[in-house]
């Protein structure tokens, strides 16, 4: 038995020994993860960071739609089947109970800069220093874009440039809203850093470029200058009467000279825009308006190709774009939706605003305008941008077979493939038959994001706002744009012939603050509207111009249906399955599929159903509160030292109550 | 000489008697007598039969007397009574035989498995429930947990909400309800198979000897930080000495979908969709012509089509579709067939089989057991195939090396193979309902129509997994001194999983009968993809513990136990995928050609170290006391947060042993009150490294192409809290166990309260200016409280024996601390009950616009407009004239109130069994007594969201139609008018549509017949039983007919999951 006990003693001894090392036994860090200290130290580490945030900051093609071609929906340019009631039915939009202020990306960029900048100072980053700087510059630019988005949404906004800890007092203090001009200055400062650090032409411009940063700078500066200018006198502008920031103790030292502030932003906009526009020529327009044959699906007009090429890097005018690849399953459905209709359409007001090739508005004497009985009529002798980017009855809808002609708008199709107004945009169309062989997400045309034409436009507008005249540089730019559009370059001819009362009917941009602007400024805005057809800048422009005060019972109209178009056999004898409703019904009943011919000869997409349930029947009505978004109520409470919305550092925007689920005051 | 004489005398007598017996062997006698128990009381109702002939028997009367005629004088009488040991008495020609029956001490000596040992059931002071293998027998289940549902009070098994009844689904298990709110930690019970952590579903149910469930902290605290929410101890069968015993069991089963929705026929469907579109201000989806086509197709199918077939309508009438402009056959609005897609996707009564075999035996020194199992379970999927196979081999050997040391070795190998179509994910179940009945299954050229999931399921590739579990255990048991045991065991488990997944190109056929590559899921037409992945878990566990039992003065019995436990888990994984197979016939990584594969691989580990000890004391088995303490260290916590100490105490008082109880002693042999208290820690954090700030990095994963390739991406890490530490679980338990009427009536009742303190809660709510998720900290408390009841009745009337077992339990959870100062209803708050449903009160559906307008005067919802006849009238409760949720806080909740609770209450199981002359019947009901549930999405509502997200089932036809409606008025409809837009304005959580999800389900019914041993013995067998068994054959519930009350969830929304099965099986058990 003695030996047995010895064995036990041995076992117990082993146990006791093992316990002395038990802390080591329990120390177990992850085996396949790295911490921030080990990462973000080489050129390739840095490259991997900003690229991850591109798709959350730049709108591009994707999914079952015409992608960025839908971004202008819910403006005076473009409409979809279901109106945006939040914007245009007063009382519909409510102060959200919950919501996020959108600091996710900002924190990420602050984190990156906080980790990387000291390593840059210490030369602790490995790799090509030019590229290291470029990637740091990208992050500066991304932070600027993230802030610009917040500036547009909320106006005054907290500026946070460090990584905040999860401590309530610090967060409440950090939530102080900075006056919007200071937010814009912060953005411009970030963009200046980006411009300093970045290169051009990296990865065929699928990564951000220095030129893109310059363009962004001109955009932000122009946005802020025009917002301060046109919203002057409203509580949306810091220092003005009723500005809610005035009552905040943290703003006690704030003062602003609005005129010099606007001038400063205009100077910034002009300077940045000029650097881009002087350097980059516009892509040529060959004047060929349709593919000459089925074999030549591309190359017949570089200006048309620029919006739908699979390689957009070859166009100087494109400063930044997104690439797609079928084999990597990075695709979109733009081409197929342009072929079939995409539950959107351009408005009559927009189409009517395009000039004749001779530079005259359509209503002007001697304009040679042919009327709009058919779309082919209205396109005759018009601005070639309209001719290129608006489908008419005879345009090929695809060139997979000979007979594929647009014929007539699919206004009574299934909603998701309906021509809502009858005017279908052709911008972003790629006629390559391999783009959309069936009905799948196989399209791989690139998605343009920044192009240099905007720099031309930004300069013209900024310089005119600053000087009140078209200077020599602006003159040169404007002529270049009109020449490319196939329009008589003499803009003075247009200005002279412009009748603002007529333009006001179909163009909200004719107004600022409810009054008509002068014809020169109006024509600058018209140029912008026409050049950027369906590219998603319209809503921002309308906001900064304060161009919606006058929007009262504004009826959205489409093409001329009831003169001749309604007789087309596509409506009277539809092929089974292609069009789901047999024929046009315009009686206003729940069976109706087009607006009544008694209301207007033009299709009115929001007057099809005439019943009390159709709250937008009488048109769009703008609420002034919508120039800025309401701050989510819960966020006000969380940013308050005592938890009450009333004492919050995050004050509510003008005309929005500091209450959840409350309607705007005006 | 004397001795010899004696022998001679005896031999002589024997010889004479034998002779006598022979001569009277053909004679019968009438025997009578009196039966008493060992305390002298008469036994009433004892069964007396002639051994071997159950037809000749009787029962004792009220005085314990019996009389039995025609008894063979040389036969034997068999006397049995519940709770008494059965006796066999030779008649030997006697006519009066009085018998004293002995109490069956087996019942009192019954032991249950507890932590690191066993205990006599009468001496257990914690809350422990146990079942033996009988509860698992002959159930056509795929895994053990299915058979445990409703069998043990307080052990809750529910269908996991995501996947439903797929062949690889495993039920979710908890003991006494949720223990945490599941944000950052989980409260699964610890499952130990023969003392080692294992997967309860990866074990052959036939190998199980018993299952114990340790429910309170006092019984589970010996397992420390992994056992905070209870322990399930599975003990497998061992060999017994004796001649080899061989058993074989076979089972053939047929499964059928228990509950699938039935789609509307295409005509009513089209009308329903038109109604929804028109109500939403959109044009009709189906034109008059399209509706006519639908009718024509149905008429043609019925042979009643009288119209003319033309080029224009032929395809539509005969095949239900029409050629579209791009040479494709049309679907949806362009098609007009009549398909119930649910009926199309599932097979009926699918056969499967299972076989078990075991051999056991041994000598005094060595025993062995070998068992094997094969299960081939087929799934319900019609197109494509889903299948689950399990193979297992289990071996156990026990050898007594010397008087003082025994060696035990066991090894168990289990393989599980599961395959399904790669497409059979939540998306598939989401999409079935989105295929309109107008879509045809077959196109006019006879091919399966593209776009209806069938091609993906049939030809689109398979997802196969193979898991090998190998459990090995080596144990030495030393007994150096009598009753001093030292056990040292090492366990090593390895789990290997291989997963293969491929996507193969699928082809539709166009109107010219030419194939075209069809999309598999979006823009991937013609693409192929292959993934291979493997993971390996190595789990090592060492337990060394010792116990010693001794008594003082024959009254004080002590058992002391102490030991240590070391666990180390290491995992690794590898995975890779590659696109573009050379041929779909050879789907491997080697035969995929895309130059850029996607690969991954990693490692993980955790470790745990514990020291434990226990003291048991009892005084004459009357007063019982137990104390446990355990100290645990976990690798998941760092610094001073690493170690925790967890004590527990319990006491018991068996009143039946008290003198004052003596008058009742013959009726009640145990009446034991128990009380326990204990404290435990929970180390089951969701993350193995909650203290580590990791940089999120992925290679070639970006969706923004750079130089034509997917770039590497990284992002900013969130925030971690180094303050994270143990959740502390405190529980107390009061219980009562009884055993009465000689074991006829037994039961247990427990009341418990379990508090989870410093629970890892969702992080405190901070301003979103932080820009990232707030790290979770230990900042919340919750409690779970309830009771459990188990009652057994077992009796015998002559040779008819029967039993009833009822288990009933209830638990509720309440948050008792939570950082939500405003008492916002969008998250937890102090006092909130788990499962609480806040909603509006419904007045009804407006029968006319006027009624709605009148209602809106004082009850206008703040959401949406366009209120009309057929919409829901929500009630303004706080009198402010509008219907809203106020500030959405507890103080200001507007018109919302608590309208129900989704936590299942009063969970019960009832088992009835009876046996008579070899025939046995078992009926098992299981259910939930109370539960509310708010369902959403298209399965419940029909029209829900836009047209493409909506569906229409039979139930949905009961929607509101006004008097002018051409479909006929339905003013008292259940559902409001259907809408494709309106953001679900009628679908807010509300009283009208709150479902009563309580149910009673006939989980199992089985009828068996055991052949008389006289027959089977001749064939060299010991026992032969045939049976027929059915699972889930009947369900009573008030819930809407679309849903199975056990399956309310779904990865893609309510109801979008694989149905449960009802199963009918026949089986055979043979013992040699």
């Amino acid at each position: 038995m003695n030996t047995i006990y010895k064995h036990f003693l041995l076992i117990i001894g082993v146990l006791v020994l093992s316990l002395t090392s038990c802390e080591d036994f329990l120390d177990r860090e992850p085996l396949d993860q790295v911490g921030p200290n080990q990462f973000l130290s080489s050129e390739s580490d840095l490259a991997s960071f900003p690229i991850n945030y591109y798709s959350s900051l730049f709108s591009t093609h994707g999914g079952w739609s015409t992608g960025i071609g839908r971004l202008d929906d819910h403006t005076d340019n473009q409409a979809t089947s279901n109106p945006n009631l939040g914007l245009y039915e007063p009382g519909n939009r409510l102060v959200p109970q919950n919501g996020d202020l959108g600091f996710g990306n900002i924190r990420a960029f602050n984190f990156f800069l906080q980790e990387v900048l000291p390593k840059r100072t210490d030369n602790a980053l490995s790799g090509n220093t030019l590229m290291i700087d470029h990637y740091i510059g990208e992050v500066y630019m991304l932070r600027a874009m993230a802030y610009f988005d917040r500036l547009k949404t909320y106006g005054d906004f907290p500026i946070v440039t460090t990584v905040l800890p999860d401590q309530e007092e610090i967060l409440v203090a950090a939530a102080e809203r900075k006056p919007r001009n200071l937010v814009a200055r912060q953005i411009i400062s970030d963009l200046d850093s980006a411009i300093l650090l970045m290169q051009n032409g990296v990865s065929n411009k699928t990564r951000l470029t220095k030129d893109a940063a310059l363009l962004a700078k001109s955009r932000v500066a122009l946005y802020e200058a025009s917002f301060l200018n046109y919203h002057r006198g409203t509580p949306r502008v810091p220092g003005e009467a009723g500005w809610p920031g005035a009552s905040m103790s943290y703003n006690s030292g704030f003062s602003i000279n609005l005129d010099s502030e606007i001038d400063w932003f205009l100077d910034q906009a002009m300077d940045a825009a000029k650097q881009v526009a002087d350097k980059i020529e516009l892509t040529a327009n060959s004047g060929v308006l349709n593919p000459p044959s089925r074999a030549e699906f591309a190359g017949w007009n570089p200006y048309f190709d620029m919006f739908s090429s699979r390689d957009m890097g070859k166009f100087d005018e494109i400063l930044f774009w997104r690439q797609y690849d079928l084999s990597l399953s990075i695709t979109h459905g733009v081409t197929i939706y342009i072929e079939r209709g995409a539950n959107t359409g351009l408005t009559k007001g927009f189409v009517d605003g395009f000039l004749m090739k001779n530079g005259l508005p359509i209503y002007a004497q001697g304009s040679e305008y042919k009327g709009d009985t058919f779309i082919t009529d209205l396109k005759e002798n018009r601005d070639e941008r309209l001719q290129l980017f608006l489908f008419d009855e005879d345009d090929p809808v695809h060139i997979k077979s000979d007979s594929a002609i647009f014929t007539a708008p699919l206004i009574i199709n299934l909603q998701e493939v309906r021509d809502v107004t009858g005017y279908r945009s052709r911008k972003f169309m790629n006629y390559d038959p391999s783009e959309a062989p069936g009905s799948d997400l196989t399209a791989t045309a690139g998605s343009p994001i920044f192009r240099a034409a905007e720099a031309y436009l930004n300069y013209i507008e900024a310089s005119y706002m600053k000087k009140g005249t078209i200077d020599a540089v602006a003159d040169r730019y404007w002529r270049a744009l009109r020449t490319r559009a196939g329009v008589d370059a003499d803009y003075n001819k247009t200005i002279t012939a412009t009748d603002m009362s007529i333009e006001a009917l179909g163009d909200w941009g004719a107004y600022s603050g409810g009054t008509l602007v002068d014809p020169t400024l109006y024509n600058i805005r018209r140029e912008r509207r026409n050049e950027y057809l369906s590219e998603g800048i319209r809503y921002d422009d309308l906001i900064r111009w304060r161009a919606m005060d006058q929007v009262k019972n504004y009826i959205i109209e489409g093409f001329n249906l009831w003169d001749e178009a309604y007789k087309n056999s596509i409506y009277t004898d539809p092929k089974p399955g292609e069009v789901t409703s047999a024929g046009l019904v315009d009686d206003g009943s729940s069976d109706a599929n087009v607006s009544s011919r008694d209301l207007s000869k033009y299709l009115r997409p929001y007057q099809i159903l005439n019943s009390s349930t159709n709250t937008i029947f009488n048109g769009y009505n703008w609420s002034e509160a919508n120039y800025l978004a309401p701050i989510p109520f819960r966020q006000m409470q969380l940013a308050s030292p005592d938890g009450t919305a009333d004492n919050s550092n995050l004050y509510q925007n003008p005309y929005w109550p500091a209450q959840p689920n409350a309607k705007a005051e005006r | 000489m004397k001795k010899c004489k004696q022998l001679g005398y005896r031999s002589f007598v024997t010889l004479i008697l034998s002779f006598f017996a022979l001569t009277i062997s053909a004679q019968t006698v009438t025997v009578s007598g009196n039966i008493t128990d060992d305390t002298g009381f008469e036994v009433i109702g004892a069964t007396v039969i002639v051994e071997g002939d159950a037809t000749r028997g009787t029962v004792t009367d009220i005085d314990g007397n019996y009389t039995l005629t025609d008894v063979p004088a040389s036969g034997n009488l068999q006397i049995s009574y519940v709770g008494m040991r059965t006796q066999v008495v030779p008649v030997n020609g006697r006519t009066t035989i009085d018998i004293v029956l002995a109490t069956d001490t087996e019942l009192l000596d019954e032991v249950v498995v507890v932590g690191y040992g066993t205990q006599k059931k009468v001496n257990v002071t914690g809350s422990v429930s146990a079942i033996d293998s009988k509860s698992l027998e002959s159930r056509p289940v795929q895994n053990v947990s299915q058979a445990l549902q409703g069998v043990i009070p307080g052990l809750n098994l529910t269908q996991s909400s995501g996947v439903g009844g797929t062949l690889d689904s495993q039920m979710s298990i908890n003991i006494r309800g949720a223990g945490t709110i599941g944000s950052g930690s989980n409260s699964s019970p610890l499952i130990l198979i023969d003392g080692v952590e294992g997967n309860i579903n990866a074990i052959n149910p036939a190998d199980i000897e018993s299952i114990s469930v340790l429910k309170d902290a006092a019984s589970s605290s010996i397992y420390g930080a992994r056992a905070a929410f209870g322990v399930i101890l599975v003990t497998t069968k061992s060999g017994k000495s004796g001649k080899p015993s061989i058993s074989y069991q076979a089972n053939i089963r047929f499964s059928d979908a228990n509950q699938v929705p039935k789609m509307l026929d295409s005509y009513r469907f089209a009308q329903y969709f038109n109604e929804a579109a028109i109500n939403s201000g959109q044009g009709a989806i189906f034109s008059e012509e399209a509706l006519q086509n639908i009718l024509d197709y149905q008429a043609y199918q019925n042979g009643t089509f009288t119209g003319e077939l033309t080029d224009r309508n032929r395809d539509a009438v005969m095949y239900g579709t029409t050629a579209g402009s791009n040479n494709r056959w049309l679907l949806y609005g362009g098609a007009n067939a009549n398909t119930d897609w649910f009926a199309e996707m599932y097979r009926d009564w699918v056969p499967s089989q299972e076989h078990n075999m075991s051999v056991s035996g041994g000598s005094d020194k060595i025993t062995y057991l070998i068992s094997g199992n094969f299960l081939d379970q087929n799934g319900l999927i019609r197109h494509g195939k889903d299948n689950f196979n399990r193979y297992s081999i289990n071996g156990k050997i026990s050898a007594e090396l010397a008087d003082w040391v025994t060696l035990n070795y066991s090894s168990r190998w289990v393989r599980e193979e599961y395959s399904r179509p790669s497409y059979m994910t939540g998306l598939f179940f989401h999409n079935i309902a989105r295929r309109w009945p107008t879509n045809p299954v077959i196109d006019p050229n006879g091919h399966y129509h593209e776009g209806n999931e069938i091609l993906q399921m049939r030809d689109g590739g398979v997802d196969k997994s193979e898991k090998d579990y190998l459990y090995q255990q080596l144990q030495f048991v030393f007994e150096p001194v009598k009753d001093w045991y030292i056990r040292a065991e090492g366990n090593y488990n390895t789990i290997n999983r291989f997963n293969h997944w491929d996507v193969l190109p699928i082809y539709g056929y166009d109107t010219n009968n030419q194939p075209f590559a069809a999309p598999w899921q979006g823009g991937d037409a013609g693409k192929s993809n292959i993934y291979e992945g493997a993971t390996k878990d190595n789990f090592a566990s060492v337990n060394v513990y010792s116990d010693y039992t001794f008594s003082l003065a024959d009254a004080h019995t002590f058992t002391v136990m102490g030991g240590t436990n070391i666990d180390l888990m290491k995992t690794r994984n590898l995975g890779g995928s590659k696109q573009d197979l050379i041929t779909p016939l050879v789907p491997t990584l080697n035969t995929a050609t895309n130059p850029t594969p996607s690969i991954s691989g990693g490692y993980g580990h955790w470790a745990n170290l514990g020291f434990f000890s226990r003291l048991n004391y009892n005084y004459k088995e009357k007063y019982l006391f137990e104390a446990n303490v355990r100290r645990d260290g976990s690798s998941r916590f760092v610094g001073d947060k690493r170690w925790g100490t967890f004590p527990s105490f319990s006491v018991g008082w068996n009143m039946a042993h008290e003198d004052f109880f003596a008058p009742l002693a013959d009726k009640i042999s145990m009446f034991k009150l128990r009380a326990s208290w204990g404290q435990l820690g929970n180390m089951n954090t969701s993350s193995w490294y909650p203290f580590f700030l990791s940089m999120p990095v992925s290679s070639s994963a970006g969706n923004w192409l750079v130089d034509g390739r997917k770039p590497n991406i990284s992002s900013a890490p969130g925030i971690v809290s180094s303050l994270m530490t143990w959740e502390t679980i405190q529980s107390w338990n009061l219980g009562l166990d009884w055993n009465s009427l000689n074991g006829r009536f037994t039961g247990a009742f427990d009341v418990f309260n379990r508090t989870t303190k410093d629970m890892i809660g969702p992080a405190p709510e901070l301003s979103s200016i932080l820009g990232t998720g707030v790290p979770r900290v230990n900042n919340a408390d919750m409690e779970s409280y309830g009771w459990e009841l188990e009652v057994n009745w077992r009796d015998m009337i002559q040779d008819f024996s029967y039993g009833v077992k009822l288990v009933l339990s209830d638990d509720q959870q309440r948050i008792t601390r939570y950082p939500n100062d405003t008492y916002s209803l969008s998250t937890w708050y102090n006092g909130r009950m788990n499962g609480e449903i806040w909603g509006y009160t419904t007045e009804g559906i407006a029968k006319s616009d006027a009624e709605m307008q009148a209602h809106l005067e004082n009850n206008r919802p703040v959401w949406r407009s366009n209120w009309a006849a057929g919409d829901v009238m929500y009630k303004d409760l706080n009198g402010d004239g509008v219907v809203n949720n106020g500030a959405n806080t507890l103080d200001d909740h507007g018109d919302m109130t608590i309208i129900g609770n989704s936590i299942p209450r009063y969970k019960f199981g009832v088992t009835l069994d009876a046996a008579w002359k070899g025939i046995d019947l078992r009926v098992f009901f299981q259910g939930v007594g109370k539960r509310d549930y708010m369902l959403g999405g298209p399965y419940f509502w029909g029209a829900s969201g836009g047209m493409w997200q909506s569906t229409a089932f039979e139930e949905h036809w009961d929607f509101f139609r006004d008097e002018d409606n051409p479909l006929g008025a339905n003013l008292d409809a259940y559902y409001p008018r259907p809408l494709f837009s309106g953001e679900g304005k009628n679908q807010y959580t509300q009283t009208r549509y709150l479902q009563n999800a309580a149910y009673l389900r006939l989980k199992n019914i089985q009828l068996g017949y055991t052949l008389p041993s006289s027959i089977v013995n001749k064939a060299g067998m010991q026992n032969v039983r045939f049976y027929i068994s059915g699972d889930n054959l009947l369900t009573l519930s008030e819930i809407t007919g679309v849903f199975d009350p056990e399956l309310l969830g779904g990865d893609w929304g309510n109801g979008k999951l694989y149905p449960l099965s009802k199963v009918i099986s026949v089986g055979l058990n043979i013992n040699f």
Side-chain angles (χ1 to χ4, degrees), chain A residues 541-588:
Chain A
D541 283 347
L542 294 171
I543 293 286
R544 69 186 171 92
W545 292 334
R546 196 182 161 197
M548 291 183 276
D549 283 10
Q550 78 291 347
V551 174
K552 297 276 182 291
N553 295 332
Y554 185 91
I555 306 285
I556 293 290
E557 288 187 323
F559 82 134
N560 180 344
L561 173 63
W562 293 113
D563 275 347
E564 286 294 330
Y566 73 98
K567 296 173 184 165
N568 194 300
S569 66
I570 189 175
Y571 309 130
T572 56
D573 186 23
K575 279 188 279 179
E578 282 289 83
V579 175
T580 54
S581 302
L584 302 175
V585 183
D586 70 328
D587 60 5

Side-chain angles (χ1 to χ4, degrees), chain B residues 581-600:
Chain B
L581 290 169
I582 296 169
T583 162
L585 301 175
V586 189
T588 65
L589 286 174
N590 285 347
T591 51
T593 58
N594 192 292
T596 46
S598 160
I599 52 172
S600 65

Side-chain angles (χ1 to χ4, degrees), chain A residues 413-428:
Chain A
N413 239 12
L414 279 177
Q415 187 170 301
E416 78 169 334
V417 285
R418 188 182 300 165
D419 285 315
V420 175
T421 63
Y423 290 134
R424 190 191 299 181
S425 163
R426 194 162 66 150
K427 200 176 251 183
F428 311 118

Side-chain angles (χ1 to χ4, degrees), chain B residues 504-527:
Chain B
L504 302 180
I506 51 172
Y507 297 92
Y509 282 79
D510 67 13
T511 52
N512 300 322
N513 207 7
Q514 295 302 308
F516 64 88
W520 200 88
Q521 185 184 328
D524 52 2
K527 308 268 294 178

Side-chain angles (χ1 to χ4, degrees), chain A residues 204-352:
Chain A
N204 197 23
K205 299 183 283 190
T206 58
R207 292 197 79 116
L208 289 165
T209 60
K210 178 187 217 129
D211 289 339
L214 279 165
L215 179 59
K217 182 183 171 186
S218 77
R219 182 188 288 182
V220 173
L222 177 60
Y223 187 95
E224 189 55 19
S226 39
F227 195 100
L228 295 176
N229 186 42
Y230 298 117
H231 291 260
R232 190 192 285 250
T234 75
R236 295 183 288 277
V237 172
E240 297 291 276
W243 175 54
S247 61
M248 306 307 293
S249 59
Y250 58 74
N251 276 333
S252 57
F254 173 76
S255 69
I256 181 170
N257 178 331
L258 213 44
D259 289 325
S260 62
E261 192 71 3
I262 292 166
D263 276 351
W264 186 82
F265 281 114
L266 290 174
D267 284 339
Q268 297 294 317
M270 286 159 63
D271 171 64
K274 188 165 182 297
Q275 287 188 53
V276 176
D278 280 352
K279 177 179 152 192
I280 294 169
E281 296 271 322
L282 298 177
T283 301
N285 168 12
S286 68
V288 180
L289 300 174
N290 263 315
S293 75
R294 281 177 62 186
E296 297 169 78
F297 46 76
W300 45 274
N301 190 335
Y303 183 48
F304 186 88
D305 286 350
M306 178 170 71
F307 294 99
S308 57
S309 175
R310 288 176 185 168
D311 172 13
M312 295 185 160
K314 65 189 177 193
F315 299 99
D316 288 347
E317 186 178 334
I318 299 283
L319 306 181
F320 175 47
W321 65 291
R322 186 178 180 186
Q323 187 179 6
Y324 295 83
D325 188 321
L326 186 58
S327 70
L328 297 175
S329 298
I330 308 288
T331 61
H332 55 78
V334 169
T335 315
I336 192 73
Y337 272 91
I338 294 179
E339 267 181 46
R340 296 189 164 192
N343 191 21
T344 185
L346 307 180
T347 63
K348 174 177 185 292
F350 187 20
V351 169
D352 285 353

Side-chain angles (χ1 to χ4, degrees), chain A residues 71-174:
Chain A
L71 297 177
D72 279 345
D73 282 348
H74 312 300
T75 66
D76 60 339
N77 285 9
Q78 201 169 326
T80 177
S81 298
N82 296 312
N84 186 333
L85 300 177
L87 288 182
Y88 300 119
E89 183 194 335
N92 186 288
R93 188 179 186 183
L94 306 175
V95 175
Q97 165 72 40
N98 293 304
D100 188 291
L101 295 170
F103 272 92
N105 286 343
I106 291 168
R107 180 181 184 277
F109 304 137
N110 289 341
F111 166 82
F112 178 94
L113 295 172
Q114 193 167 297
E115 287 286 323
V116 171
L117 292 180
K119 291 183 189 171
R120 180 175 183 265
T121 313
D122 299 345
N123 285 324
L125 298 165
S126 63
N128 178 337
T129 49
L130 277 181
M131 292 313 295
I132 286 170
D133 280 356
H134 176 80
Y135 298 129
I136 296 171
E138 281 192 20
V139 173
Y140 272 115
M141 176 163 178
L142 291 172
R143 186 167 74 177
M145 299 320 290
Y147 261 109
F148 184 42
D149 182 63
R150 300 293 83 194
L151 175 72
K152 289 188 292 184
T153 306
Y154 293 119
D156 304 343
F157 201 64
I159 297 177
V160 177
T161 54
T162 56
V163 179
L164 295 173
D166 53 332
Q167 289 170 26
E168 190 176 346
E169 317 79 68
I170 293 176
L171 295 174
V172 169

Side-chain angles (χ1 to χ4, degrees), chain A residues 19 22-23 26-29 32-34 48 52-53 101 104 107 164 166 174 203 206 322 327 340 415 441 578 580 590 613 634-635 661, chain B residues 278 285 287 325-326 527 579 602-603 605 609 611 635 642-643 694-695 703-704 707 714-717 765 768-771 775 866 885:
Chain A
L19 300 186
C22 60
E23 286 301 325
L26 292 176
D27 280 338
R28 292 186 186 270
E29 291 223 327
D32 57 2
Q33 298 170 36
V34 294
S48 72
N52 194 20
Y53 294 89
L101 295 170
R107 180 181 184 277
L164 295 173
D166 53 332
S203 295
T206 58
R322 186 178 180 186
S327 70
R340 296 189 164 192
Q415 187 170 301
L441 287 179
E578 282 289 83
T580 54
S590 58
T613 62
R634 183 69 189 141
Q635 290 301 327
N661 301 319
Chain B
I278 290 166
I285 292 160
S287 63
S325 63
N326 58 348
K527 308 268 294 178
Q579 295 187 333
Y603 297 83
H605 58 175
L609 188 55
F611 306 94
S635 66
R642 173 163 283 167
W643 288 89
S694 156
M695 191 72 200
N703 59 14
W704 194 286
D707 299 321
S714 62
S715 52
E765 195 182 5
S768 69
I769 200 164
L770 179 64
N866 311 344
N885 63 350

Side-chain angles (χ1 to χ4, degrees), chain B residues 44 118 171 382 421 480 529 582 609 653 753 788 878 973 984 1020 1046:
Chain B
I44 308 156
T118 57
M171 297 177 102
R382 182 193 302 277
N529 198 356
I582 296 169
L609 188 55
W653 176 29
N753 182 301
E788 287 138 19
N878 60 4
E1046 286 199 72

